[in-house]
Amino acid sequence: MTSLFAQIGTVAMMNIRSLPRRLWMSLAMVLASAVVVAILLAFLAMAKGFESTMNSAGSDRVAVMMREGSAAEINSVITREQVNLIEESPGIARDTEGAPLVSPELYVIVDGLKKSSATKANIPLRGINTTGMAMRGNMQLVEGRMFTAGTNELIVGTGVLREFDGFALGEEVRFGKNVWTVVGVFTTGGNVFESELWADVKVIQSHYDRGSSYQTIRAQLETPGDISGLEKTIELEPRLNLEVQTESAYFAAQGKQLEYMAIFGRVISAIMALGALAGALNTMYTSVADRAKEIATLRTLGFSNLSAFCGTMIEALVLSAAGGLLGSAAAFLFFDGLSASTLGGSFTQVVFSFEMSPDLFAQGAQLALLIGFTSGFFPAWRAARLPVIVAFRAAT
Amino acid sequence: MSQEALFELKQVEKSFVKGKETISIFNDLNMTIDRGDFLAIMGPSGSGKTTLLNMLGGVDQPSGGEIWFDGARMDNLSESKLTQWRAHNIGFIFQFYNLMPMLNAARNVELPLLLTRLSRSQRKRSVEAALALVGLSDRAKHMTSEMSGGQQQRVAIARAIVSDPKLILCDEPTGDLDRTTADEILEMLQLLNRDHGKTIVMVTHDPAAASYARQTVHLDKGKFVHKEVLA
């Protein structure tokens, strides 16, 4: 066994040292693997970043209620009467004065000009009160001040500020007939709420002719994750045609929207991997042909065919792993933290950042090694079956 | 098989199928190679001398007959058994040296020892001894691609003898060398035969090279046509 390891080690070392003889072919294989891995990681990082942006917004301490059958906030309508009924429900936390911690919110769409493409895109303008803001535990004003209730003032999320023109602190923004003033910039730790504009809910009701209606109710739960009290209330009260779920469940479902991006990335990568594989196979067959005499000589001396097989496999895996490392490094440099926006569940732009993570790199490494293994296997088989008699032929 | 015989070929046949045609190389070939012999096999191209060398080295197998080596039949061994057999019994010297260009001289010489159970330090000692025997102790760390043809062939000889095989097979060992260097190489083979008791079989076109052997056999169309005892 020791002898076998020594043989494999020697053959692998010779193969690696002989790479300069096949420099361009070997580089082509490395680059092909790198491109495939980089593309896969870019798509996965996009999906991962979007999912993280959505997931991190959700809290188990908050319940979200929308009209039955509404897939997203934009589709929902909730009356003041329904808000009043919910405020009486058990399971909702209360403040020191015994008032229920409930935030009825409005969610309307306004236009913004994207910096990247100079095209118009939808931005959510959320009508919110101080209780609602308190429920976003990581909300912080980073510039300016809070809007004043009853005025045309709004605060802007850092994501909107980053991706859209015209929302700098102090600027006036026109939505339809109404002019708003940006008085503050807020962050919520990088989650989806940073893609929003916030203003006083009463002012939005007035400007957008919503009367006393809302679109969602958020309620702070007494016990994190326990929405049974609210479910019971909704079940027993026929006027409450609402659906309730924890905020984390709501955003987890929304976060799956870009799952297709990960699937698309995998499909694209698989197709590209086939192309890379063709090139890699060519590289490895060339390698075996280039080393035919050396392989045959070693076999003549008594080296096993397994050592020839493993030596070629190791060469293929080293080249593809180098490609994987290169692709991962490129993906990390070019995509990690890259800010982008896409259409979310409420037909509004969600600003998010591409997010690289160890599990994505592991997937990239797996793909690179798969390319290496597949491209190495058949040439390695050929190397193992190479007639020993080749060693006796004239030098080529 | 006599006590002296290292190799014995009995009624060996060898043929190739080429298209629909069967080409016979050997038919009823009988031959004995004694221990300690230095045998040169000569003959024109196509006479079968390389095929014979390949069969002696277990690189090729006969179509019929028997080949015995050191009292054991070897023509019916599997490929993996033959590989092991070669590793333990045969040292090869090729016309074009067949050294590994990405290894230095010492690592080239060490290759056959990787097939043994010797420790690293034992291998190192054996490599040093083999290189000393061929006069290349001072070139151990040199890459073989930086060496002359004669030096490369001496490294190949060191590789062939390092694991102390019973038989050394040489395929035109001086075919790629100038006369002076060729003579040095042949003298070295003669020394290995005479002073170290190595049995050597050498295929060559060159009568001058053959003159270093103890005996020469001439092959033509798969048959021994002439045998000459020189020493």
Side-chain angles (χ1 to χ4, degrees):
Chain A
M1 193 54 80
T2 311
S3 160
L4 183 61
F5 285 136
Q7 290 175 50
I8 291 171
T10 302
V11 175
M13 185 259 287
M14 286 196 297
N15 291 359
I16 302 299
R17 282 191 185 176
S18 69
L19 283 176
R21 287 193 334 224
R22 306 177 294 281
L23 182 66
W24 295 111
M25 293 289 282
S26 304
L27 275 182
M29 181 171 166
V30 170
L31 285 177
S33 303
V35 168
V36 173
V37 168
I39 285 173
L40 174 73
L41 290 184
F43 277 104
L44 293 183
M46 190 190 300
K48 177 92 175 172
F50 184 81
E51 193 179 352
S52 296
T53 299
M54 301 304 276
N55 285 353
S56 61
S59 165
D60 266 345
R61 301 182 64 87
V62 176
V64 178
M65 284 153 277
M66 290 186 286
R67 188 180 63 184
E68 214 167 30
S70 305
E73 292 186 72
I74 194 75
N75 311 120
S76 175
V77 179
I78 290 174
T79 63
R80 180 68 239 182
E81 182 191 20
Q82 289 174 318
V83 174
N84 294 340
L85 289 167
I86 287 297
E87 283 176 344
E88 301 305 318
S89 172
I92 295 177
R94 291 174 184 273
D95 66 15
T96 49
E97 289 165 12
L101 295 175
V102 170
S103 168
E105 297 177 7
L106 260 178
Y107 188 91
V108 296
I109 295 172
V110 296
D111 278 345
L113 199 62
K114 286 184 87 167
K115 286 179 181 172
S116 58
S117 58
T119 54
K120 284 185 175 177
N122 294 342
I123 306 175
L125 171 60
R126 183 178 294 279
I128 194 167
N129 60 24
T130 49
T131 310
M133 282 186 227
M135 278 183 207
R136 278 78 172 181
N138 49 1
M139 185 266 183
Q140 266 189 324
L141 269 175
V142 290
E143 271 188 274
R145 61 174 174 78
M146 181 53 62
F147 59 77
T148 308
T151 65
N152 279 14
E153 290 179 348
L154 57 79
I155 56 174
V156 56
T158 49
V160 175
L161 197 61
R162 196 165 62 239
E163 289 291 313
F164 290 86
D165 267 331
F167 292 99
L169 188 65
E171 284 204 60
E172 292 196 334
V173 194
R174 174 178 287 277
F175 300 136
K177 295 176 188 169
N178 306 305
V179 176
W180 299 76
T181 306
V182 179
V183 297
V185 179
F186 69 93
T187 176
T188 51
N191 68 28
V192 68
F193 293 123
E194 286 184 2
S195 306
E196 296 180 349
L197 307 169
W198 287 358
D200 181 20
V201 65
K202 297 286 183 191
V203 175
I204 294 177
Q205 277 179 330
S206 165
H207 285 338
Y208 287 85
D209 296 328
R210 299 297 174 98
S212 61
S213 72
Y214 299 92
Q215 278 163 298
T216 55
I217 305 171
R218 277 179 161 76
Q220 185 94 37
L221 294 167
E222 261 180 351
T223 310
D226 182 9
I227 55 171
S228 58
L230 283 163
E231 282 176 330
K232 191 83 174 166
T233 303
I234 291 166
E235 189 188 332
L236 296 175
E237 174 52 72
R239 286 172 288 176
L240 290 175
N241 59 333
L242 303 178
E243 281 176 356
V244 59
Q245 56 190 322
T246 61
E247 197 182 44
S248 54
Y250 171 71
F251 280 120
Q254 300 267 310
K256 299 291 178 200
Q257 283 177 106
L258 277 204
E259 224 173 30
Y260 75 90
M261 198 54 80
I263 296 167
F264 185 65
R266 287 197 171 91
V267 171
I268 291 279
S269 305
I271 292 167
M272 290 192 66
L274 285 177
L277 201 57
L281 268 171
N282 192 27
T283 299
M284 293 313 300
Y285 275 125
T286 304
S287 165
V288 172
D290 179 54
R291 294 181 293 106
K293 192 160 183 143
E294 289 157 18
I295 294 167
T297 300
L298 291 174
R299 297 272 293 112
T300 305
L301 297 180
F303 276 57
S304 67
N305 48 13
L306 184 62
S307 66
F309 180 88
C310 292
T312 306
M313 284 301 296
I314 290 170
E315 179 186 343
L317 290 170
V318 164
L319 289 176
S320 62
L325 279 176
L326 189 65
S328 298
F332 183 76
L333 285 175
F334 291 116
F335 296 116
D336 189 47
L338 180 72
S339 180
S341 64
T342 190
L343 208 57
S346 292
F347 308 107
T348 57
Q349 291 289 309
V350 174
V351 179
F352 66 98
S353 297
F354 283 54
E355 187 179 311
M356 292 291 178
S357 59
D359 65 308
L360 298 196
F361 287 123
Q363 289 187 52
Q366 281 171 12
L367 178 65
L369 292 178
L370 184 67
I371 292 172
F373 182 84
T374 315
S375 63
F377 187 84
F378 296 103
W381 186 259
R382 176 178 287 185
R385 308 301 304 166
L386 205 66
V388 179
I389 212 157
V390 169
F392 291 84
R393 289 185 187 148
T396 50
Chain B
M1 196 165 180
S2 78
Q3 286 290 313
E4 293 300 309
L6 182 65
F7 249 120
E8 198 163 7
L9 282 68
K10 297 177 182 175
Q11 298 174 314
V12 164
E13 295 172 10
K14 181 67 185 174
S15 56
F16 295 102
V17 177
K18 194 174 182 182
K20 291 179 180 173
E21 201 180 351
T22 301
I23 300 167
S24 177
I25 307 291
F26 297 117
N27 189 17
D28 194 23
L29 184 76
N30 293 285
M31 179 188 190
T32 301
I33 301 170
D34 290 334
R35 283 172 215 279
D37 203 354
F38 184 174
L39 176 69
I41 302 173
M42 295 189 72
S45 294
S47 60
K49 54 188 189 301
T50 298
T51 304
L52 176 59
L53 192 80
N54 290 345
M55 287 195 296
L56 293 175
V59 173
D60 203 354
Q61 285 180 299
S63 311
E66 296 174 6
I67 299 180
W68 292 75
F69 177 84
D70 205 16
R73 192 171 167 186
M74 52 156 286
D75 59 89
N76 53 4
L77 295 179
S78 66
E79 195 184 322
S80 62
K81 292 277 183 204
L82 272 176
T83 303
Q84 288 173 18
W85 173 83
R86 282 197 301 270
H88 292 114
N89 296 291
I90 311 290
F92 285 92
I93 299 171
F94 304 89
Q95 179 178 359
F96 297 103
Y97 331 126
N98 290 29
L99 299 173
M100 305 296 137
M102 65 294 291
L103 300 181
N104 64 28
R107 294 301 301 271
N108 264 286
V109 175
E110 189 189 16
L111 287 172
L113 300 179
L114 297 176
L115 308 167
T116 66
R117 293 177 185 276
L118 294 180
S119 68
R120 188 184 291 263
S121 58
Q122 287 171 314
R123 293 203 301 264
K124 189 166 180 283
R125 279 197 296 276
S126 297
V127 168
E128 285 168 356
L131 282 171
L133 196 64
V134 297
L136 285 177
S137 293
D138 56 334
R139 308 300 298 266
K141 299 293 177 193
H142 286 239
M143 300 305 285
T144 54
S145 52
E146 298 164 356
M147 294 178 165
S148 67
Q151 287 174 326
Q152 288 190 56
Q153 195 60 298
R154 283 198 276 163
V155 173
I157 291 172
R159 182 180 67 186
I161 59 171
V162 72
S163 58
D164 195 25
K166 290 174 181 161
L167 177 69
I168 296 172
L169 296 177
C170 315
D171 184 24
E172 301 277 8
T174 56
D176 200 40
L177 302 174
D178 61 67
R179 188 71 264 160
T180 310
T181 312
D183 286 340
E184 285 172 16
I185 295 297
L186 290 162
E187 281 166 14
M188 194 165 288
L189 291 176
Q190 210 170 37
L191 179 137
L192 287 171
N193 172 251
R194 190 182 60 229
D195 296 353
H196 297 267
K198 296 292 173 198
T199 308
I200 298 175
V201 177
M202 174 175 70
V203 160
T204 181
H205 275 101
D206 179 11
S211 67
Y212 284 83
R214 288 180 192 271
Q215 55 178 324
T216 303
V217 290
H218 292 258
L219 263 177
D220 193 15
K221 294 175 185 170
K223 297 211 177 290
F224 292 119
V225 292
H226 180 64
K227 186 173 180 179
E228 199 175 347
V229 179
L230 302 164

